[in-house]
């Protein structure tokens, strides 16, 4: 193949321009580099080099290098300067020239990979045999009381455990930790323990309670015929957390009931219903219901035996209310008060607008008309029409086709607003004293800026834990993505650090159409810094909860090989999810190493 000398010379010139600007950028960061922990000096420099490189559009250079059969710099993030110098050396050799310039980059390609592996081991623990990527598993409350389940997690491949401080209590956390340590000891290997600080999650407030009614519906066939009755249970007292199909009645009255007694009641619609007693125990009476029945608080239940008096249904928890929203609807978001659905007159005219409160009062002074607001993980999208200190008005833009229902305790995101909310809450500061005592690493939620990192490090210093506990920064907002280089350079003041790509919240913030390239860019930045990455949110979600994975989940699991660790959420079938993920990662290990495809001998399926 004939190669034009002018083409090679232009490539050399372009690479030298990039190299000169990289060195100028490093000089500009001299003071920042002086603050970096010594173990991260080379990684911080390479991050600065990568950031400088990415200020250029080098696609033209990449195409020309490809045509020459050379490295396209696509996998150069972990060793930027070394890759540039290597290409310059080869280009000069193609011209028959002896390259006389700088030949050493300070960080070789080989040493860049060594740093990546070393940091991953320090943060995430030893890898399992046959796979590089670790598995992190979110611990359910059950892990505090079910040691065999925890042991099975470790046996099937769990390398790291995640405990979320947004749930449970220090007493439960400690029981989970004790079970994790016992299981680790039993298996002869260390399982790293990470704990999530809850962070400043912005949520909707309570909605006015619905009626205190329990709906009972027997199963029917395609023609509407009842297949079998529904069994409900009479007990003394129930709460909002109780199982469904429980009805509270006087325990003394229950003692008078017998199997086969017929009970009569008039339901909330005035329908007369007959129920049948099918089981009597010390504190529970089981009853069959044969028709759709709405049992409400205060309903009267009579018995077909005259010697047994009637009873009154006790306090049934209110039905959880929701607000139905469609495109072009208006929603008033308030600082105080209970939410309520839209109220209409008989002609469909709005008598009272829908409203709901926001649990974070600080946002009201920081949002502006025209900005976007998202509810419930982006299922509902709106635009702020007006704002004040006590409320803001939202015009709904997107919902499901038939409308979407907004409930209490659902997330609110402001992807285009500068909320200036700290990543560390008062609860987080309180939880930190427990976390630094028992955990190996902190998962720092909703970090947005350099200032958030410094605030966390200040708290850790006051607790005497700076440099004694590792920190994983959860990237879950648009602002965190924009500031990621600055966040990492600040985080490198201490050791050891990692990044979690919290894809659920991040997708809501950046848009579902952008999350693909945003993930890829985060992986590139972290590769440049040699910082380990945890691939998180909804990996094998269907498998963990329902026992069968979707096709998309299998593909997602293989894509996670670009990271250093994969996080699974809790679910009934979590052991199955760990086992399958362990197998998939092991099988794929020989075919991909981080962002580089590997080419073992091609295999074929044989029958």
């Amino acid at each position: 193949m004939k190669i034009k000398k002018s083409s090679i010379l232009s490539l050399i010139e372009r690479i030298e321009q990039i190299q000169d600007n990289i060195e100028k950028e490093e000089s500009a960061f001299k003071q920042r580099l002086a603050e970096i922990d010594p173990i991260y000096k080379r990684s911080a420099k390479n991050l600065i080099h990568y950031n400088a490189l990415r200020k250029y559009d080098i696609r033209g250079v990449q195409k020309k290098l490809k045509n020459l059969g050379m490295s396209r710099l696509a996998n150069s993030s972990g060793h930027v300067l070394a890759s540039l110098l290597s290409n310059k050396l080869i280009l000069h050799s193609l011209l028959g020239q002896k390259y006389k310039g700088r030949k050493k980059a300070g960080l070789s390609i080989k040493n860049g990979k060594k740093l990546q592996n070393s940091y991953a081991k320090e943060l995430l623990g030893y890898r399992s045999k046959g796979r590089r990527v670790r598995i992190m598993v979110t611990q359910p409350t059950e892990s505090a009381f079910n040691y065999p389940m925890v042991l099975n997690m470790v046996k099937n491949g769990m390398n790291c455990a995640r405990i979320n401080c947004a749930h449970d209590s220090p007493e439960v956390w400690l029981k989970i930790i004790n079970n994790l340590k016992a299981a680790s000891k039993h298996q002869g290997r260390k399982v790293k323990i990470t704990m999530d600080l809850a962070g400043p999650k912005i949520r909707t407030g309570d909605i006015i309670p619905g009626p205190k009614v329990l709906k009972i519906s027997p199963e029917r066939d395609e023609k509407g015929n009842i297949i079998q009755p529904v069994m409900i249970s009479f007990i003394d007292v129930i709460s909002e957390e109780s199982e469904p199909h429980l009805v509270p009645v006087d325990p003394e009255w229950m003692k008078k009931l017998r199997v086969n007694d017929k009970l009569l009641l008039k339901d909330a619609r005035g329908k007369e219903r007959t129920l049948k007693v099918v089981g009597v125990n010390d504190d529970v009476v089981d009853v069959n219901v044969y028709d759709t029945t709405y049992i409400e608080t205060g309903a009267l239940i009579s018995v077909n035996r005259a010697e047994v008096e009637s009873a009154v249904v006790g306090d049934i928890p209110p039905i959880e209310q929701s607000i139905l929203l469609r495109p072009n609807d208006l929603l008033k978001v308030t600082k105080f008060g209970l939410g309520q659905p839209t109220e209409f007159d008989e002609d469909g005219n709005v008598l009272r607008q829908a409203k709901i409160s926001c649990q974070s009062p600080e946002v009201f002074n920081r949002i502006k008309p025209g900005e976007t607001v998202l509810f419930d993980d982006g299922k509902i999208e709106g635009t702020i029409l007006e704002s004040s200190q006590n409320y803001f008005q939202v015009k709904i833009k997107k919902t499901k086709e038939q409308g979407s229902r907004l409930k209490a305790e659902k997330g609110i995101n402001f992807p285009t607003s500068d909320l200036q909310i700290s990543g560390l809450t008062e609860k987080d500061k309180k939880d930190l004293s427990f976390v630094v005592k028992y955990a190996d690493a902190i998962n720092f939620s909703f970090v947005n800026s350099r200032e958030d990192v410094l605030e966390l490090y200040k708290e850790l210093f006051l607790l005497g834990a700076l440099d004694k506990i590792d920190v994983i920064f959860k990237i879950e907002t648009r602002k965190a993505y924009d500031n990621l280089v600055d966040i990492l350079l600040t985080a490198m003041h201490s050791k050891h650090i990692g990044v979690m790509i919290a894809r659920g919240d991040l997708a809501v913030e950046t848009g579902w159409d952008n999350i693909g390239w945003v993930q890829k860019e985060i992986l590139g930045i972290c590769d440049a810094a040699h910082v380990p990455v945890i691939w998180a949110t909804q990996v094998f979600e269907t498998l963990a909860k329902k026992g069968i994975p979707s096709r998309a989940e299998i593909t997602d699991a293989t894509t996670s090989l670009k990271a250093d660790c994969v996080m699974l959420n809790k679910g009934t079938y979590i052991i199955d999810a760990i086992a399958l993920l362990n197998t998939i990662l092991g099988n794929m290990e020989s075919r991909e190493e981080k962002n580089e495809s590997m080419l073992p001998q091609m295999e074929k399926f044989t029958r």
Side-chain angles (χ1 to χ4, degrees):
M1 180 180 68
K2 189 174 180 180
I3 303 170
K4 287 186 178 180
K5 183 178 179 181
S6 59
S7 179
I8 295 176
L9 287 171
S10 69
L11 267 175
I12 292 173
E13 182 181 1
R14 181 65 169 151
I15 290 173
E16 285 179 342
Q17 287 175 352
I18 294 170
Q19 185 181 330
D20 287 344
N21 277 287
I22 282 174
E23 290 171 352
K24 287 178 184 177
E25 191 91 348
E26 181 182 326
S27 179
F29 275 84
K30 185 177 180 180
Q31 182 57 44
R32 292 290 297 273
L33 285 169
E35 300 168 353
I36 301 294
D37 188 284
I39 72 163
Y40 282 122
K41 287 287 186 185
R42 290 182 296 172
S43 299
K45 283 184 180 180
N46 190 69
L47 174 59
I48 291 166
H49 298 167
Y50 179 75
N51 196 43
L53 173 69
R54 293 303 309 279
K55 290 179 180 178
Y56 293 92
D57 183 345
I58 62 168
R59 286 175 291 183
V61 172
Q62 288 180 299
K63 288 176 182 178
K64 290 178 181 178
L65 290 171
K66 178 185 175 182
N67 291 337
L68 293 171
M70 296 171 60
S71 166
R72 299 184 303 112
L73 304 174
N75 298 315
S76 65
S77 53
H79 34 76
V80 175
L81 206 50
S83 294
L84 289 171
L85 291 174
S86 177
N87 273 337
K88 274 177 63 178
L89 188 64
I90 295 170
L91 289 169
H92 277 284
S93 69
L94 289 175
L95 294 174
Q97 300 174 350
K98 188 172 181 180
Y99 177 59
K100 297 179 181 180
R102 176 179 176 178
K103 294 182 180 179
K104 291 189 177 181
L107 179 66
S108 67
I109 294 172
K110 183 178 179 181
N111 286 335
K113 291 182 180 297
K114 279 185 176 180
L115 285 177
Q116 286 181 333
N117 293 333
S118 172
Y119 295 157
K121 185 175 78 172
E122 290 290 344
L123 182 73
L124 303 167
Y126 287 93
R127 65 180 195 165
S128 295
K129 187 176 180 180
R131 61 174 164 86
R132 172 188 60 81
V133 179
R134 281 78 169 174
I135 297 175
M136 178 183 289
V137 182
T138 302
Q139 299 300 298
T141 306
E142 188 182 354
S143 291
F145 312 101
N146 188 344
Y147 171 72
M149 181 184 73
V150 176
L151 181 60
N152 273 329
M153 289 183 183
V154 180
K155 284 181 177 179
N156 281 279
M158 177 175 70
N159 305 99
C160 320
R162 170 180 175 256
I163 299 171
N164 192 347
C165 292
H167 305 294
D168 300 317
S169 65
E171 292 76 21
V172 173
W173 303 338
L174 186 55
K175 289 179 180 179
I176 294 173
I177 290 167
N178 288 337
N179 280 342
L180 286 165
K181 289 183 175 179
S184 297
K185 186 176 180 181
H186 183 276
Q187 290 302 108
R189 58 188 178 86
K190 166 78 172 175
V191 171
K192 292 274 188 173
I193 297 171
T194 71
M195 296 188 72
D196 273 43
L197 299 178
K201 183 77 171 178
I202 304 171
R203 296 184 183 275
T204 55
D206 292 333
I207 298 176
I208 190 168
K212 296 185 175 184
V213 175
L214 175 64
K215 180 184 177 182
I216 310 297
S217 295
E219 187 179 351
R220 299 175 184 270
D221 62 19
E222 291 82 356
K223 294 183 178 180
N225 299 311
I226 294 174
I227 296 173
Q228 60 182 11
V230 176
M231 189 174 75
I232 64 172
S233 297
F234 290 158
I235 63 170
D236 183 3
V237 178
I238 64 173
S239 66
E240 292 185 12
E241 290 76 32
S242 296
E243 293 293 318
H245 297 172
L246 298 181
V247 176
V249 294
D250 181 3
E252 295 302 318
W253 178 77
M254 282 195 291
K255 292 177 182 178
K256 300 174 183 178
L257 298 180
R258 302 172 186 168
V259 173
N260 292 325
D261 274 348
K262 289 185 178 180
L263 311 178
L264 304 174
L265 74 83
K266 189 174 288 188
D267 80 354
R269 302 167 300 164
K271 303 280 187 180
E272 292 187 352
R273 295 290 184 245
T274 301
L275 290 62
K276 183 179 179 181
V277 176
V278 293
V280 177
N281 298 297
D282 291 339
D283 52 2
V284 177
V285 173
D286 295 325
V287 178
N288 275 349
V289 180
Y290 299 89
D291 294 288
T292 298
T293 305
Y294 291 79
I295 303 176
E296 63 180 335
T297 298
L300 195 66
I301 306 175
S302 58
V303 188
N304 63 334
R305 290 184 291 119
E307 65 270 23
V308 181
E309 71 278 11
S310 298
V312 175
V313 173
D315 200 29
I316 292 175
I319 295 173
E320 182 184 15
Q321 291 280 66
S322 61
I323 299 171
L324 179 62
L325 296 169
R326 297 184 176 91
N328 296 317
D329 283 353
L330 294 178
L331 175 67
K332 189 174 186 179
V333 182
T334 62
K335 189 180 286 188
F336 310 104
L338 295 175
Q340 60 189 26
T342 307
E343 186 177 320
F344 300 92
D345 64 17
E346 293 179 355
D347 298 320
N349 300 310
V350 176
L351 294 176
R352 187 175 61 192
Q353 182 189 341
K355 69 175 184 178
I356 198 164
S357 65
C358 171
Q359 294 183 17
S360 302
E362 59 267 37
V363 306
F364 289 84
N365 295 324
R366 293 168 185 160
I367 55 174
K368 300 173 184 175
E371 293 178 337
T372 298
V373 57
L374 304 168
F375 300 94
D376 194 7
D377 292 335
K379 295 182 179 71
I380 301 168
E381 179 182 336
T383 301
I384 298 172
L385 296 181
E386 59 175 298
S387 63
S388 71
Q389 290 187 345
N390 294 315
Y391 76 92
F392 58 91
Q393 191 80 269
V394 178
K395 184 173 184 179
I396 304 301
K397 289 175 60 180
K398 292 181 182 178
T399 66
K400 291 181 181 178
E401 186 175 351
Q402 301 300 320
S404 299
R405 291 194 171 274
L406 181 60
K407 297 181 179 180
E409 293 292 329
K410 295 300 180 182
I412 309 177
N413 292 79
F414 300 88
T416 59
S417 305
D418 183 10
L419 299 180
Q420 301 173 11
I421 295 177
S422 168
L424 208 59
T425 67
E426 290 305 313
K427 180 184 185 305
D428 294 335
K429 293 176 183 179
K430 184 178 178 182
D431 291 342
L432 261 178
S433 59
F434 179 97
V435 173
V436 299
K437 187 175 180 181
Y438 294 103
D440 297 298
I442 300 163
N443 295 327
F444 187 26
S445 301
F446 292 98
V447 58
N448 283 308
S449 65
R450 164 185 171 87
E451 288 70 30
D452 290 339
V453 179
L454 293 174
E455 183 184 10
L456 174 65
Y457 280 8
K458 179 183 176 182
E459 292 297 321
L460 292 176
F461 176 79
L462 293 174
L463 290 168
L466 191 63
D467 270 340
K468 294 181 181 178
I469 189 167
D470 301 336
V471 181
I472 296 169
F473 297 91
K474 295 174 68 176
I475 305 304
E476 44 200 328
T477 66
R478 182 183 295 199
K479 190 174 181 182
Y481 166 72
D482 288 339
N483 293 333
L484 183 54
V485 171
D486 199 26
I487 287 170
L488 291 179
L489 288 173
T490 308
M492 286 177 174
H493 294 187
S494 184
K495 56 179 183 289
H496 291 91
I497 64 170
V499 160
M500 180 182 288
I501 306 179
R503 300 180 300 156
D505 285 291
L506 192 59
V508 172
E509 284 269 333
T510 62
W512 296 102
D513 51 340
N514 295 319
I515 188 60
W517 66 260
V518 168
Q519 287 178 160
K520 187 174 181 180
E521 294 289 11
I522 293 174
L523 286 166
I525 292 169
C526 291
D527 269 354
H530 310 124
V531 169
V533 174
I534 294 100
W535 188 262
T537 308
Q538 296 179 324
V539 178
F540 275 163
E541 192 89 351
T542 308
L543 171 57
K545 290 183 176 178
K546 298 182 180 179
I548 300 176
S550 68
R551 294 178 181 86
E553 285 181 334
I554 300 295
T555 304
D556 187 39
T558 59
T559 306
S560 67
L561 282 159
K562 297 180 184 297
D564 301 275
C565 182
V566 188
M567 191 191 87
L568 296 174
N569 272 325
K570 54 196 174 184
T572 305
Y573 301 94
I574 186 60
I575 304 299
D576 295 336
I578 298 170
L580 181 58
L581 183 59
N582 181 52
T583 301
I584 289 173
L585 293 177
N587 289 342
M588 290 294 297
E589 191 77 22
S590 62
R591 291 169 171 80
E592 185 157 346
E593 183 179 344
K594 292 284 277 187
N595 288 324
E596 300 177 24
S597 295
M598 308 299 285
L599 298 174
Q601 183 180 15
M602 187 179 292
E603 298 178 25
K604 294 184 178 181
F605 287 102
T606 56
R607 295 184 180 179

